[in-house]
Amino acid sequence: MALKRKKASQNESDDADELNAEIANLEMLTDEEEEEQDDSASFDDGQVDDFPEIVQSSDEDESESEDVEDEEDVDEHSSSENDSDTDDDSELHIFPKAKTVVSQITGQPKLVYPDIEPEYDSDSSTEDAPNRVGNIPMHWYDDLPHIGYDINGKKVLRPARGDELDKFLATVEDPSTWTSAFDKNTQTDKSLTAQELDIIRRLYENENPDAAYDPYEPMTEWFTGKGKEEIMPLSAAPEPKRRWVPSRWEKQKVMKIVRAIRQGRILPSKPKSTTKMEFYAIWSQPTAPVAPPPPAPKLNLPLHSESYNPPEEFLPTEEERKEWEEQDIEDREKDYLPNKYSSLRLVPAYDRFIKERFNRQLDLYLAPRVQRVKLNIDPNSLLPKLPSPNSLKPFPTYRSLRFVQSSGRVRCMSISPEGDWVVSGDENGIVILWEVNVGREVKRWKFSGKIGALDWCPRTDACYFVVTTEETIYFLIPPNLTATVFSLTHSLLAPTTLPPTTSSPVKWETASSGTWTLDKPILTVKLPPASGLPIQTTWHRRGDYLATVSNNGAQGGVWIHQITRRHSQAPFKKIKGVVQVVLFHPSKPHFFVATQQYVRLYNLAEQKLVKTFMPGIRWISSMDVHPSGDHLIVGGYDRKLCWFDLELSDKPFKVMRYHSRAIRSLHFHPTYPLFASSSDDGSIQIFHSRVYSDLMTDPLIVPLKILRGHQIREGLGVLQVRWCHSQPWLLSAGADGSVAVWCS
Amino acid sequence: MGRLKQKGKAGAVKAYITRTSAIRKLQCSLADFRRLCILKGIFPREPRNKKRANKGSSAPASFYYTKDIAYLAHEPVLKKLREHKAFAKKLSRALGRREWSTAKSLEENKPVYRLDHIIKERYPAFIDAVRDIDDALCMIFLFASLPAGDRLSTELVESCSRLASEWQLYVLQTRSLRKVFLSIKGIYYQAEIMDQLVTWLVPYQFTQQIPSDVDVRVMLTFLELYQTVLGFVFFKLYTDVGLVYPPPLDAAKDEGAAGIGAFTLREVTHVSETSNSQPNHKTVEVDGRKVSGKDVRQAIKSIAASSEQDIADSVMSVPEPPAATAEVDEEFVPQPSKSDSVDTSLRTLKSLSSLPQTTQLSLFVPYTFFLSREISRPIFEFLIRSSGGRVGWPASSGSGSPLNENDESITHVIIDRPVIQKTGETSEERERRLRRKYVQPQWVADCINAGKILLEGLYAQGQTLPPHLSPFEEYSFAPSSEDKPDEDMNAVETEEEEEEEAEEEEKEVEQSDSTVEMGDEKGESEDPEKKASKAIAKVTISEDPAALRAAELAAEAAGMDYATFAKEVKKLKKRSHVPSEKDDREEDMNKMMMSNRQRKLYEKMKYSQRKKEAEQAKLAGRRDKLMKERRREAKKTA
């Protein structure tokens, strides 16, 4: 038997060695060592089998010695076996059995524990402890590699302790972890024995830790028990009648209930409340004709693309599929992707079915509903019915010529009353006179600084125009005039007898007749200093009064100059807002002043405010009055154009917004029913604008043509448009330094 | 001088109430409020000015009409909900104290709300209810197909499937099914009930899982309402056609998955003659107390007896439609004979479409169908029977089939399997196979939608099916090239060839154009012919008769004969069939005379129009491409 075991163990160890060699590739053992190990192993086995009692000490010695001696692998199988054996043995001896002995003194039985023999290995608890530091706070050793000293004074090294993960794994894998406790002395987890656990349990339940302890042991029965029963009653009173006679009161009570049950007032078993609804003809009784609440909108009916076998063109392409998949669920136009199945049995379940029903219900009770009237009209019927532009000819349709002035922006331009000549001025200070029909330059003047405005005098008998630069107004006479016109003009601008001068901050200076040539301005009006550049000039229809608007200066920068009297006056002492544009009324002594947001109409004769127009434009840029004097158009930098009927209201009759950028200039044609607007988007819009003398008929405004051709420079497009007086021709000055002539 | 108006005393502030304040006013929990809203059909409103309605605050809030909430405050259901809250407290206390008998008696007397008054309120007339049962039907059919589990009680699912069957039975009985659409989501049915179109969606028969992001409580509340509505609606519908509601259920058949076949439809008068269960039934409905167990037992007995009688009367458990209507039907019904079927196959599509619509009600009357094993029986049984056909199915699809597979009367077999050659076939089987028509299930749906019997050839077993189109949308183009007669096909082909040629020519022209332009730049002399073609191109763009004349002259000068010139012009016109830009511009200019509001409306309409058109164009383009490809392939194979 022993031999067999030996063989087996040898085999095992051999196997283990092989495994070691193979797997771990650890140090190879010499033959001697191997033999030695084998011997010890066999010895162990024999011991275990034959003498289980003795093994404890010897084996422990052995294992200790092994621990000390062997740095290499031990035959783990055998050692673990031994360990378990020793454990079993030690369990038997921790609490020696107590004997019950009858005491000689008291005569009572008592527990007698065996004496502790003070032998060497009698109390193993002190001896076992490898760490002999005693009961000291163990944290003193926290920073040291050892945890104390053994009996021989050698350091006891700190056992390896796993990290938290190991601890956790131990709790999962090792079933005994929860019954183990940390031993401070050895710094390891020590599993508790059954007895120890029992003690813990008893302590936990507030019991005596000793299982054999009986707290009620000496019990003396004084009043109970055999022979000590009480047989006499405590009171001698006779038993009351109520103990055996049935109660009448109770009978009455019961009878009441019985009667109630008989009469059906009390139901013995009330009908149980059921959730089941019983249906009946609920609509059989006619009700008051109440309008029912509007029904919830129905879901859309399915389309072809939802079919299980749709026509092939409904199937999404790869890109569409991808796009659909990438879209957020709420953004998707359809909540499904069309798919084609060759037969009905291949159609799978629709995975969003419940979700869709749920969403529908959420819509039903959470979504606010608005009743909308669905417009079932042709959108084209919304378009206003306007006459075709072809029936409203003539109007300018194409660019007949382009006059390139210079590289600077052409801010202003004016056409002679006869409509043959044009003067245009740019920001470089150059004013050019050229012919409309051919675009030939006739004469050029050079001024210092920007040209603010240009305007030809509307008089037909005299011929001259004004040019404004910084704080100055120049009067120029074009060349090639007939003698009569020239003389009249000359005498008008440079009369031999000057009218009496009035006290005004504006200085009128005539060029001396000797040195004056056509290259020079014949008359110069010096506006008060620091009044800035006059950005707009406008003539009264008779050509005697000229109004200028400067971009800064007192009195809103508005001056009215009278040529014949050589007098300038500021009509407004104080004006609210910055004046943008001023205009003379074509027939009445009225004067329009446009500030940033309002247009005011003043009566110059009576010197009072007639009306204030509120176009609702943030910043007015331009304004023009219809030749009849009853209508006014106002354009703004916020792209709006307002048409006012002066008689009608101070609110615009029509507001239009069609330019994509700010409106720069507006002009009514003096004779044809046309007006044009130009904008920074580089386009010019021509309108037909027919007004009726009949007060009941609204003016007819028909957009006719969009003229494009000017380039946009630095955000500026067409800066000014002017109509030819006698022809349906339009001239436009652009920021690209050119003036275009648009002909019909 | 009028009285000063105080802020917050009138107007939107008074008319609207936020949800939070509504809940506070009703003194109920949010869940109870939701439940009430669902049951009463109260939904939030969008005030015209939110800020004004919300006392100047612009915080997001949902608003209800104050009047709605005021009505809610007197709602009996709300009272019951409050009682239920108290009951729940009492019950939990009893359970906590382990007073089981108290808990039991509490449980027995737990407050339960009834919804009939709400139904009456929401649908004062029966027609209103019929108009609004679409969603209810969808939900009922969905829940009838859901697995009962811890979230759904078995009774609920059973009640839903019962209601679903009752509805199907009614539709069958009245033959009111009009449209059916097999979609990827499920099957849409449309029936005409009391001149109202009722559409409902039934999922395919698969086990559905309730997703985790779905609040089942909300769905169950809706379901509660829907069950009640449908119960009342069905009661009215059934009693109106003289049937007993609820139709008695044969438990044994139901066990055998007979579906709607498990129910027996009984006419009211007939039943009252045979037994007295009907008046009894009435008393039950009026006051539920006076029914004793005896009565119930008797009633069950009588029901069983009468149902047996019914079965004896007809092979199918559903009785034949009233005799009068049957006679009327018969006038229109062609006799199911061989010659007739040949006749239908010879008829052209046009003549078929001109047939009277009344045939639709009894579309399948002359036919008998057999469903193959892989066909979903409940769906097709319903479809066929609601069009008057007789239908049988194998035992594996459920019990209660009135026909067996070998039945001689079977004319059509609905099959959804590829064709497999059978080897061992007796002559009898072969004969039977030849006598029957094997069609794919789509045929049934398409026949019902078309309102006539379509040719079976296209739908025969193993054939590639023609597309299944929605009956709810017009399909503006011919479904596919197969439907067209051959001559037409040829015509199309020749046209196409021409087109192809034209395309090639166009390419050439384009090339020449580009060379011409290059020549222009270099200032070299041009080829006169190219010049002419260029002139033509200009003409087509301008579409001016004068210009056309000029171009013609130029072509003549270049030595081009008139035929080629005409062809060229035609081709170019075809190419530039875009609406002339001029019109567009004019429109644009006219747009600036519109008011802002009108313009926005116009833009919106135009946008949607353009979108729709683009979609249509895309589809048409794809269709053309597909057809071209198909034809090319056909050419190749031929």
Side-chain angles (χ1 to χ4, degrees):
Chain A
M1 172 96 182
L3 209 131
K4 263 189 189 170
R5 276 181 175 274
K6 195 175 171 181
K7 258 193 176 173
S9 67
Q10 207 169 347
N11 281 344
E12 268 178 22
S13 65
D14 281 351
D15 284 350
D17 280 342
E18 273 172 27
L19 272 177
N20 279 342
E22 272 176 23
I23 301 162
N25 213 1
L26 290 171
E27 291 168 76
M28 297 292 283
L29 297 179
T30 59
D31 286 357
E32 277 178 22
E33 277 169 333
E34 241 177 286
E35 266 182 18
E36 196 182 294
Q37 264 195 352
D38 288 349
D39 283 348
S40 67
S42 67
F43 175 70
D44 280 353
D45 283 349
Q47 290 291 345
V48 170
D49 270 359
D50 293 343
F51 313 103
E53 299 276 327
I54 306 168
V55 170
Q56 186 185 4
S57 56
S58 67
D59 200 59
E60 268 174 7
D61 285 348
E62 187 95 31
S63 65
E64 256 184 23
S65 67
E66 265 180 12
D67 278 342
V68 176
E69 285 165 19
D70 253 348
E71 313 297 317
E72 292 134 68
D73 291 7
V74 206
D75 192 347
E76 280 184 4
H77 177 73
S78 60
S79 70
S80 68
E81 205 176 73
N82 285 342
D83 284 346
S84 64
D85 279 355
T86 54
D87 282 349
D88 290 344
D89 293 339
S90 63
E91 271 169 23
L92 297 173
H93 295 285
I94 277 184
F95 285 110
K97 282 255 167 67
K99 271 188 231 161
T100 316
V101 184
V102 178
S103 170
Q104 287 172 344
I105 304 160
T106 57
Q108 300 288 327
K110 66 170 184 181
L111 286 174
V112 174
Y113 292 94
D115 288 336
I116 297 168
E117 286 168 47
E119 285 174 17
Y120 180 71
D121 58 349
S122 61
D123 187 6
S124 61
S125 64
T126 52
E127 204 168 326
D128 271 351
N131 191 1
R132 296 293 177 146
V133 288
N135 188 14
I136 57 156
M138 285 309 288
H139 65 80
W140 291 350
Y141 286 93
D142 272 359
D143 300 332
L144 299 171
H146 58 283
I147 54 169
Y149 302 92
D150 65 0
I151 198 158
N152 299 325
K154 281 183 182 164
K155 286 177 181 172
V156 178
L157 290 177
R158 186 183 295 278
R161 291 193 41 82
D163 53 2
E164 292 295 320
L165 186 65
D166 287 332
K167 260 189 222 166
F168 171 71
L169 287 175
T171 59
V172 176
E173 288 162 357
D174 189 1
S176 68
T177 354
W178 73 278
T179 58
S180 61
F182 181 67
D183 183 4
K184 247 201 281 179
N185 198 260
T186 57
Q187 297 279 315
T188 49
D189 284 336
K190 208 171 172 186
S191 65
L192 301 177
T193 60
Q195 283 82 6
E196 282 167 336
L197 286 173
D198 189 48
I199 291 169
I200 290 171
R201 186 188 62 77
R202 284 166 175 286
L203 288 172
Y204 193 72
E205 289 178 356
N206 290 338
E207 285 177 18
N208 196 309
D210 185 1
Y213 174 71
D214 178 11
Y216 311 108
E217 217 163 14
M219 169 74 181
T220 318
E221 289 186 338
W222 298 109
F223 303 106
T224 54
K226 191 97 175 141
K228 286 175 185 163
E229 298 98 343
E230 296 268 355
I231 49 167
M232 294 300 287
L234 291 173
S235 154
E239 191 146 357
K241 202 177 170 185
R242 62 173 181 275
R243 293 255 170 97
W244 73 89
V245 174
S247 160
R248 244 184 97 197
W249 171 244
E250 274 179 12
K251 190 187 167 193
Q252 277 175 357
K253 272 282 197 190
V254 169
M255 279 318 292
K256 204 175 172 186
I257 293 169
V258 168
R259 247 174 265 125
I261 289 172
R262 279 186 191 149
Q263 287 167 3
R265 276 186 285 123
I266 295 179
L267 288 172
S269 59
K270 225 170 150 190
K272 282 165 195 166
S273 52
T274 51
T275 48
K276 200 151 169 66
M277 190 80 203
E278 268 143 14
F279 302 112
Y280 57 95
I282 197 171
W283 286 287
S284 58
Q285 290 97 13
T287 45
V290 189
K298 291 195 172 185
L299 277 177
N300 289 336
L301 289 171
L303 306 177
H304 295 316
S305 55
E306 211 182 305
S307 167
Y308 88 99
N309 181 17
E312 266 174 72
E313 67 261 22
F314 286 98
L315 297 181
T317 58
E318 239 355 92
E319 297 119 47
E320 280 172 343
R321 182 180 295 273
K322 209 171 156 198
E323 191 190 6
W324 187 86
E325 273 159 7
E326 276 168 6
Q327 265 176 341
D328 203 39
I329 289 176
E330 269 103 55
D331 298 342
R332 287 174 184 169
E333 211 161 287
K334 279 184 209 152
D335 49 3
Y336 58 92
L337 264 184
N339 210 339
K340 195 175 177 86
Y341 299 96
S342 59
S343 76
L344 190 63
R345 74 169 191 282
L346 301 176
V347 182
Y350 183 58
D351 53 344
R352 286 179 45 76
F353 196 96
I354 298 181
K355 182 75 182 161
E356 272 179 17
R357 295 314 318 163
F358 179 64
N359 285 346
R360 163 74 177 165
Q361 290 174 351
L362 288 190
D363 282 351
L364 281 182
Y365 90 104
L366 282 183
R369 286 185 217 154
V370 181
Q371 213 165 14
R372 282 215 179 84
V373 184
K374 207 166 186 183
L375 276 179
N376 197 7
I377 51 168
D378 180 24
N380 289 335
S381 68
L382 288 171
L383 283 174
K385 294 279 168 290
L386 294 174
S388 162
N390 286 338
S391 64
L392 299 172
K393 278 176 178 174
F395 56 86
T397 50
Y398 68 96
R399 186 173 68 190
S400 69
L401 95 96
R402 180 163 176 263
F403 179 81
V404 180
Q405 167 124 356
S406 69
S407 56
R409 298 171 188 139
V410 183
R411 277 268 178 201
C412 46
M413 163 256 318
S414 183
I415 305 165
S416 69
E418 293 83 28
D420 299 333
W421 305 95
V422 184
V423 277
S424 53
D426 61 17
E427 288 195 341
N428 299 341
I430 295 167
V431 174
I432 299 177
L433 176 74
W434 50 281
E435 220 175 318
V436 174
N437 286 331
V438 291
R440 190 175 68 86
E441 178 181 334
V442 177
K443 190 155 179 65
R444 172 187 289 248
W445 292 269
K446 174 87 178 103
F447 295 94
S448 59
K450 286 180 188 175
I451 306 295
L454 268 176
D455 216 349
W456 213 293
C457 176
R459 281 177 72 161
T460 44
D461 50 345
C463 185
Y464 62 96
F465 58 91
V466 289
V467 175
T468 64
T469 62
E470 198 72 33
E471 295 162 17
T472 325
I473 305 169
Y474 299 106
F475 288 74
L476 293 171
I477 300 176
N480 309 333
L481 295 180
T482 54
T484 51
V485 172
F486 180 77
S487 62
L488 183 66
T489 313
H490 193 265
S491 64
L492 185 73
L493 295 177
T496 44
T497 53
L498 289 174
T501 53
T502 48
S503 65
S504 168
V506 178
K507 300 280 175 294
W508 292 66
E509 288 171 9
T510 316
S512 57
S513 55
T515 56
W516 179 75
T517 58
L518 281 175
D519 294 336
K520 286 182 186 165
I522 188 162
L523 180 65
T524 311
V525 176
K526 290 244 158 98
L527 294 175
S531 63
L533 177 70
I535 47 168
Q536 196 228 346
T537 58
T538 182
W539 283 98
H540 187 252
R541 66 181 185 282
R542 297 229 180 85
D544 195 21
Y545 291 98
L546 172 74
T548 60
V549 181
S550 303
N551 54 8
N552 52 19
Q555 288 102 24
V558 182
W559 287 93
I560 294 179
H561 314 275
Q562 193 180 4
I563 310 302
T564 47
R565 283 179 59 211
R566 313 192 109 212
H567 169 70
S568 301
Q569 59 174 342
F572 307 113
K573 283 208 182 73
K574 201 180 144 198
I575 194 157
K576 231 184 188 177
V578 184
V579 178
Q580 304 292 320
V581 198
V582 294
L583 271 180
F584 285 104
H585 192 279
S587 50
K588 290 178 193 161
H590 286 177
F591 191 57
F592 295 96
V593 179
T595 57
Q596 257 186 31
Q597 295 190 359
Y598 301 102
V599 178
R600 295 196 177 84
L601 177 61
Y602 293 94
N603 190 331
L604 289 177
E606 292 172 20
Q607 301 224 334
K608 68 173 189 185
L609 177 69
V610 178
K611 218 170 188 182
T612 306
F613 298 101
M614 284 173 285
I617 295 174
R618 294 266 179 77
W619 196 315
I620 291 169
S621 67
S622 49
M623 171 171 71
D624 200 15
V625 66
H626 193 266
S628 72
D630 290 338
H631 299 271
L632 180 76
I633 47 174
V634 180
Y637 290 110
D638 56 356
R639 299 174 283 167
K640 269 188 204 157
L641 182 136
C642 302
W643 177 289
F644 286 97
D645 193 332
L646 298 189
E647 311 269 291
L648 197 68
S649 160
D650 52 359
K651 297 267 165 53
F653 154 70
K654 191 135 196 82
V655 180
M656 291 186 279
R657 208 168 72 170
Y658 49 91
H659 279 302
S660 57
R661 306 295 295 274
I663 291 178
R664 280 279 162 186
S665 163
L666 295 169
H667 198 216
F668 271 115
H669 198 285
T671 49
Y672 285 93
L674 292 171
F675 78 88
S677 69
S678 76
S679 157
D680 276 344
D681 60 6
S683 69
I684 302 158
Q685 174 74 45
I686 314 287
F687 287 94
H688 177 86
S689 61
R690 184 175 298 271
V691 298
Y692 299 93
S693 51
D694 173 19
L695 284 176
M696 296 310 292
T697 320
D698 287 335
L700 174 74
I701 307 170
V702 185
L704 293 176
K705 182 89 186 154
I706 303 168
L707 303 174
R708 291 173 211 279
H710 280 287
Q711 266 126 38
I712 301 166
R713 291 268 172 83
E714 293 159 20
L716 295 178
V718 186
L719 297 173
Q720 195 161 34
V721 282
R722 283 287 173 269
W723 292 97
C724 262
H725 289 247
S726 48
Q727 304 284 352
W729 296 351
L730 185 76
L731 276 86
S732 62
D736 54 352
S738 68
V739 181
V741 180
W742 306 86
C743 288
S744 56
Chain B
M1 202 177 133
R3 280 172 67 186
L4 282 175
K5 266 189 189 169
Q6 275 178 308
K7 214 179 170 188
K9 295 276 179 186
V13 190
K14 280 275 144 191
Y16 293 99
I17 185 168
T18 61
R19 196 185 65 180
T20 330
S21 38
I23 288 172
R24 211 173 295 146
K25 187 172 181 187
L26 296 178
Q27 299 183 11
C28 62
S29 65
L30 180 58
D32 281 350
F33 180 70
R34 282 197 177 142
R35 183 175 283 263
L36 273 179
C37 285
I38 290 171
L39 296 178
K40 291 277 281 181
I42 291 173
F43 49 89
R45 310 286 171 148
E46 194 77 0
R48 205 165 286 164
N49 189 335
K50 273 198 167 181
K51 213 172 158 188
R52 215 169 280 160
N54 206 4
K55 292 173 187 156
S57 157
S58 57
S62 50
F63 298 94
Y64 291 84
Y65 277 154
T66 313
K67 279 211 169 172
D68 280 351
I69 302 301
Y71 286 130
L72 265 192
H74 299 287
E75 177 57 46
V77 174
L78 179 61
K79 206 179 148 200
K80 283 283 180 192
L81 287 175
R82 286 188 187 130
E83 277 172 19
H84 190 272
K85 197 173 147 196
F87 155 77
K89 265 186 199 164
K90 281 181 198 159
L91 186 71
S92 73
R93 184 189 293 138
L95 290 177
R97 289 177 177 172
R98 308 188 157 210
E99 295 166 349
W100 307 125
S101 63
T102 322
K104 201 180 161 210
S105 70
L106 273 174
E107 175 66 33
E108 274 167 5
N109 297 314
K110 101 175 173 193
V112 173
Y113 56 77
R114 294 165 65 83
L115 296 175
D116 40 359
H117 65 283
I118 289 184
I119 304 296
K120 185 78 180 163
E121 223 170 73
R122 288 185 66 168
Y123 309 112
F126 178 54
I127 205 79
D128 302 326
V130 174
R131 208 174 286 151
D132 212 22
I133 58 171
D134 284 17
D135 287 314
L137 287 173
C138 285
M139 276 290 280
I140 290 291
F141 275 93
L142 170 63
F143 272 77
S145 72
L146 285 182
D150 48 351
R151 286 209 276 183
L152 299 178
S153 69
T154 324
E155 294 88 61
L156 186 80
V157 174
E158 262 173 18
S159 133
C160 285
S161 55
R162 195 191 159 97
L163 283 169
S165 303
E166 282 166 6
W167 170 250
Q168 286 188 330
L169 271 181
Y170 177 76
V171 174
L172 279 193
Q173 178 67 10
T174 54
R175 293 206 183 153
S176 42
L177 186 75
R178 292 289 171 272
K179 295 270 158 54
V180 60
F181 179 47
L182 308 169
S183 86
I184 49 174
K185 290 183 180 175
I187 301 176
Y188 287 90
Y189 298 98
Q190 193 171 57
E192 198 179 340
I193 310 286
M194 316 261 302
D195 293 334
Q196 299 291 327
L197 287 177
V198 177
T199 315
W200 73 101
L201 172 63
V202 180
Y204 288 114
Q205 284 189 306
F206 292 101
T207 311
Q208 302 261 357
Q209 287 303 323
I210 299 181
S212 53
D213 53 345
V214 161
D215 189 355
V216 186
R217 283 180 307 167
V218 170
M219 293 193 97
L220 290 182
T221 313
F222 267 103
L223 197 66
E224 212 173 321
L225 176 75
Y226 287 158
Q227 278 177 307
T228 321
V229 178
L230 288 181
F232 282 112
V233 169
F234 292 171
F235 185 92
K236 169 90 172 154
L237 287 175
Y238 270 68
T239 44
D240 279 3
V241 293
L243 294 170
V244 173
Y245 185 82
L249 175 74
D250 186 344
K253 276 190 178 179
D254 197 38
E255 283 290 304
I260 49 176
F263 290 88
T264 333
L265 287 180
R266 284 188 299 140
E267 283 176 42
V268 176
T269 49
H270 171 68
V271 168
S272 58
E273 276 168 21
T274 52
S275 73
N276 326 314
S277 74
Q278 185 54 28
N280 249 340
H281 228 79
K282 282 265 163 93
T283 56
V284 167
E285 280 149 15
V286 176
D287 47 356
R289 286 175 203 161
K290 291 191 177 171
V291 182
S292 64
K294 225 182 211 171
D295 283 1
V296 171
R297 252 170 275 137
Q298 237 176 17
I300 289 169
K301 256 185 208 167
S302 65
I303 286 166
S306 64
S307 66
E308 273 169 22
Q309 270 186 355
D310 272 356
I311 289 161
D313 284 347
S314 61
V315 182
M316 286 157 66
S317 52
V318 176
E320 296 293 319
T325 57
E327 271 169 27
V328 170
D329 283 346
E330 263 164 31
E331 283 176 60
F332 297 98
V333 173
Q335 290 303 308
S337 64
K338 278 271 173 188
S339 63
D340 200 83
S341 67
V342 169
D343 193 12
T344 48
S345 66
L346 282 176
R347 275 180 195 166
T348 58
L349 290 174
K350 264 192 180 172
S351 70
L352 273 177
S353 66
S354 62
L355 277 179
Q357 274 289 308
T358 43
T359 51
Q360 198 192 16
L361 297 178
S362 48
L363 189 67
F364 293 143
V365 164
Y367 306 111
T368 308
F369 294 82
F370 192 79
L371 303 177
S372 179
R373 167 160 55 84
E374 69 281 354
I375 300 294
S376 164
R377 180 182 63 84
I379 297 166
F380 283 89
E381 187 196 355
F382 173 61
L383 285 183
I384 291 166
R385 280 178 60 184
S386 56
S387 300
R390 292 178 73 217
V391 65
W393 53 87
S396 60
S397 309
S399 69
S401 166
L403 301 171
N404 151 345
E405 196 176 354
N406 302 327
D407 201 305
E408 288 302 309
S409 62
I410 291 171
T411 54
H412 288 78
V413 176
I414 308 221
I415 193 159
D416 200 5
R417 269 181 282 183
V419 188
I420 294 166
Q421 284 297 328
K422 272 188 190 169
T423 48
E425 204 179 29
T426 61
S427 62
E428 191 188 347
E429 272 177 355
R430 201 182 123 71
E431 195 193 335
R432 202 171 65 199
R433 187 165 59 80
L434 290 177
R435 199 171 54 233
R436 291 175 181 176
K437 279 176 177 157
Y438 287 77
V439 287
Q440 297 194 44
Q442 192 189 319
W443 180 78
V444 178
D446 282 358
C447 281
I448 292 173
N449 290 342
K452 64 202 173 198
I453 302 292
L454 298 175
L455 301 182
E456 288 91 345
L458 284 174
Y459 298 89
Q461 184 187 6
Q463 286 273 346
T464 307
L465 289 167
H468 180 57
L469 296 174
S470 167
F472 310 112
E473 191 192 6
E474 287 285 310
Y475 191 60
S476 43
F477 301 90
S480 69
S481 57
E482 276 97 336
D483 289 358
K484 285 180 186 172
D486 277 1
E487 288 165 41
D488 212 316
M489 281 264 284
N490 286 340
V492 169
E493 256 173 49
T494 49
E495 206 172 88
E496 193 183 300
E497 272 163 24
E498 264 178 21
E499 259 176 35
E500 271 166 25
E501 276 168 30
E503 269 170 28
E504 278 162 27
E505 271 175 37
E506 264 170 36
K507 272 176 201 164
E508 276 171 28
V509 168
E510 270 164 28
Q511 277 173 358
S512 65
D513 268 2
S514 60
T515 53
V516 165
E517 274 162 27
M518 281 185 42
D520 269 351
E521 277 165 20
K522 283 171 194 167
E524 285 169 13
S525 65
E526 294 173 18
D527 186 15
E529 203 168 308
K530 282 170 187 169
K531 207 172 163 185
S533 64
K534 212 175 155 192
I536 295 161
K538 262 186 199 164
V539 168
T540 49
I541 290 162
S542 63
E543 283 190 19
D544 192 8
L548 188 74
R549 178 81 193 132
E552 207 179 316
L553 285 176
E556 219 175 288
M560 199 190 259
D561 64 336
Y562 185 75
T564 48
F565 171 78
K567 204 175 165 189
E568 201 107 309
V569 167
K570 203 176 157 191
K571 199 165 71 192
L572 278 168
K573 267 185 184 166
K574 210 188 225 173
R575 211 191 323 173
S576 62
H577 53 73
V578 211
S580 54
E581 282 177 32
K582 213 167 143 195
D583 286 350
D584 267 8
R585 252 188 229 159
E586 232 170 71
E587 233 168 56
D588 273 359
M589 282 199 297
N590 282 358
K591 236 174 10 186
M592 64 176 78
M593 296 312 296
M594 292 159 96
S595 68
N596 223 356
R597 202 169 145 189
Q598 262 187 334
R599 186 167 51 219
K600 269 178 196 160
L601 179 67
Y602 176 82
E603 296 287 354
K604 221 189 268 174
M605 287 165 92
K606 274 279 172 191
Y607 173 79
S608 60
Q609 210 177 19
R610 238 173 279 141
K611 206 171 150 191
K612 217 178 272 173
E613 273 165 16
E615 187 71 21
Q616 289 286 344
K618 195 176 80 177
L619 288 178
R622 270 193 206 163
R623 180 167 35 231
D624 287 352
K625 213 170 133 194
L626 282 168
M627 271 166 81
K628 230 177 243 177
E629 266 173 31
R630 211 175 290 159
R631 222 165 281 143
R632 229 167 250 161
E633 265 172 35
K635 239 186 233 173
K636 252 181 225 170
T637 52

